[in-house]
Amino acid sequence: MKQSRQENLIYLAVWGLLFAAPLLSLYVRTSGDADTVFRWTEVFVVWRHLAVFLVLFLIHNFLLAPLLIHAHRRVAYFSIMAAVLAAFIVYQCSGRPEMNRHKGPRPPHRMEMPARHHPPFEEPHHQWRRGDVPPPVVGERDILSVVVLLLMCGANLGIKGYFRSRDDRKRLAELEHQNLEQQLEYLRYQINPHFFMNTLNNIHALVDIDPAKAQETIVELSKMMRFVLYEGDKKGVPLTKEMEFIRTYVALMQLRYTDKVKISLNLPDEVPDRTLPPLMLISFIENAFKHGVSYQRESFIEIGVAVDDDRLIFVCRNSKADVPNEEKGGVGLVNVRKRLNLLYDHDYSLCIRDDADVYTVELNIPLS
């Protein structure tokens, strides 16, 4: 898997500082002490040791770390890592000056005889040359080098794991966004046919009763169709257009009913320059006309909208019909709930009270 540019820049900066450190250290020493001479050999010695760690880092970064971070092959990673550590320890031990010095034949031990002034019963003691004492197989310097190598590999795994988790979160957010857009698009396509189905039923009922009113209804319907066609597929529409759409819809519905149905519409005369998802409120209003109108007794529908601190407060109350409307195909309220959850998560409130004679909907959503 290709590394990100930020990850490569981090590695480049760290290794650049490490290779620049001996130069800076020697420069400071020569600047503070006139007797100290700047010797490139000292820098090259440090660079030679750093080069070994750089090679091991490149092997770990491009070959071993992806086995654990991306391929999740833990057994292969730890097996190869153990082999690399063993080879590194052998290299460290074989490269020590003490080990190289004892590769040749060891000179015979020399024993010093006791001096004449020693007491006659004192045992003679042997003095060994310091260079003849064999060094330990693994010294402190070797252990420190292994610890540095392990810390370097651990830091490499941590950085690579961070960027992997960041990329995973980014891809997950993109997938969720695409899924959200697909669901909202599907819900909009469900709402529009359902809405027009009920509206066309209203026109059909008016054609035989009052052709003039039917013509007025067609004009109002054309306005609503224009809104749905040009605004319904957007993420948000101006609040003024949504209010106008509600006024047109209520005016269309008033043509169908007599004075027995008291319809109250309370919309603000002036609204702020804010947006909200299209066709969000019409489903509640449509539901009120569908289930709140009684042909046997007086009924009412009350619709109110207010704006407070960049939040929209919508209230719709309606009486309940004596005989519930069993018309199939109503998906409006179900879709509105889904849209609210997808768009606002927990930043909204929807309260529906189904009392004996009154059905009330209260919605509070933020405005963009």
Side-chain angles (χ1 to χ4, degrees), residues 84-148:
V84 172
L85 286 175
F88 177 73
I89 293 173
V90 171
Y91 168 79
Q92 287 289 109
C93 295
S94 64
R96 288 187 301 175
E98 295 86 353
M99 296 294 293
N100 296 330
R101 184 161 59 240
H102 289 284
K103 287 183 179 180
R106 180 176 296 178
H109 297 160
R110 293 187 303 174
M111 180 176 65
E112 294 185 3
M113 299 302 294
R116 292 182 179 180
H117 64 274
H118 286 173
F121 298 102
E122 183 179 357
E123 292 291 337
H125 64 279
H126 301 274
Q127 292 184 357
W128 302 86
R129 295 178 59 184
R130 181 176 299 177
D132 296 336
V133 178
V137 177
V138 179
E140 295 179 356
R141 175 172 169 269
D142 304 319
I143 296 176
L144 182 61
S145 298
V146 172
V147 171
V148 171

Side-chain angles (χ1 to χ4, degrees), residues 10-55:
I10 290 175
Y11 298 148
L12 184 62
V14 172
W15 283 107
L17 290 175
L18 289 176
F19 275 89
L23 284 174
L24 296 176
S25 176
L26 193 56
Y27 171 77
V28 171
R29 286 164 51 194
T30 55
S31 300
D33 188 359
D35 297 332
T36 304
V37 180
F38 189 95
R39 293 185 177 87
W40 278 100
T41 54
E42 298 182 14
V43 178
F44 291 148
V45 169
V46 178
W47 281 359
R48 182 173 63 85
H49 291 290
L50 287 176
V52 175
F53 285 97
L54 177 59
V55 172

Side-chain angles (χ1 to χ4, degrees), residues 261-280:
V261 181
K262 303 298 182 182
I263 300 176
S264 172
L265 180 62
N266 185 13
L267 301 180
D269 296 331
E270 297 182 0
V271 294
D273 186 16
R274 297 291 184 269
T275 62
L276 77 162
L279 304 175
M280 179 64 71

Side-chain angles (χ1 to χ4, degrees), residues 7-8 12 52 80 84 126 233 255 257 297 340 353:
E7 184 179 355
N8 290 328
L12 184 62
V52 175
I80 300 175
V84 172
H126 301 274
D233 59 345
L255 296 175
Y257 300 109
R297 59 186 178 85
L340 288 171
R353 295 194 302 271

Side-chain angles (χ1 to χ4, degrees), residues 180 183-184 187 191 279-280 283-284 331-346 348-354 359-363 365:
L180 173 63
Q183 291 189 52
L184 291 177
L187 294 177
I191 291 173
L279 304 175
M280 179 64 71
S283 296
F284 298 111
V331 293
L333 293 181
V334 176
N335 284 343
V336 169
R337 287 184 181 274
K338 290 181 179 179
R339 293 181 71 194
L340 288 171
N341 290 328
L342 290 171
L343 291 170
Y344 303 113
D345 196 11
H346 299 292
Y348 81 94
S349 64
L350 175 62
C351 179
I352 298 179
R353 295 194 302 271
D354 190 0
Y359 190 87
T360 306
V361 175
E362 296 180 2
L363 176 64
I365 58 175

